[in-house]
Amino acid sequence: MSVNKVIELMSESSSSWEDAAQKAVSKAAKSVKNIRSVWVQDFSATVNGKGKLATYRVTCKVTFEVED
C-alpha cells in the first residue's frame, strides 16, 4: 500500500493556464520525487490596461508518493 502526500502550489504564466500548471509541476519536480498527479483547483488572471489578460494564475494540488 502506498502513502501519498498533497502540497498546494501557486504559479503564473504570461502565456496560458496550462503553462502556469506545467511551471508549478516542473518546479516541484526539482525537489519532490514520485509526483503522481496534479489537480488545478483554481484559475485566475490579471488584466492589463487594454482589457486583455496579462498573466494566468493557477492554484494546484500536487500529489506525490511518500517513500519508505
Side-chain angles (χ1 to χ4, degrees), residues 10-28:
M10 297 169 66
S11 181
E12 71 177 23
S13 168
S14 60
S15 60
S16 69
W17 281 293
E18 291 86 357
D19 187 51
Q22 182 60 63
K23 284 182 178 185
V25 172
S26 294
K27 187 74 168 186

Side-chain angles (χ1 to χ4, degrees), residues 3-58:
V3 174
N4 295 319
K5 182 169 180 145
V6 178
I7 56 174
E8 186 172 78
L9 302 172
M10 297 169 66
S11 181
E12 71 177 23
S13 168
S14 60
S15 60
S16 69
W17 281 293
E18 291 86 357
D19 187 51
Q22 182 60 63
K23 284 182 178 185
V25 172
S26 294
K27 187 74 168 186
K30 291 181 179 180
S31 61
V32 175
K33 296 179 181 176
N34 302 321
I35 294 176
R36 299 294 182 228
S37 66
V38 60
W39 171 47
V40 180
Q41 177 181 356
D42 195 29
F43 297 89
S44 63
T46 61
V47 179
N48 66 19
K50 298 177 183 178
K52 302 283 185 182
L53 296 182
T55 56
Y56 302 83
R57 296 176 175 170
V58 295

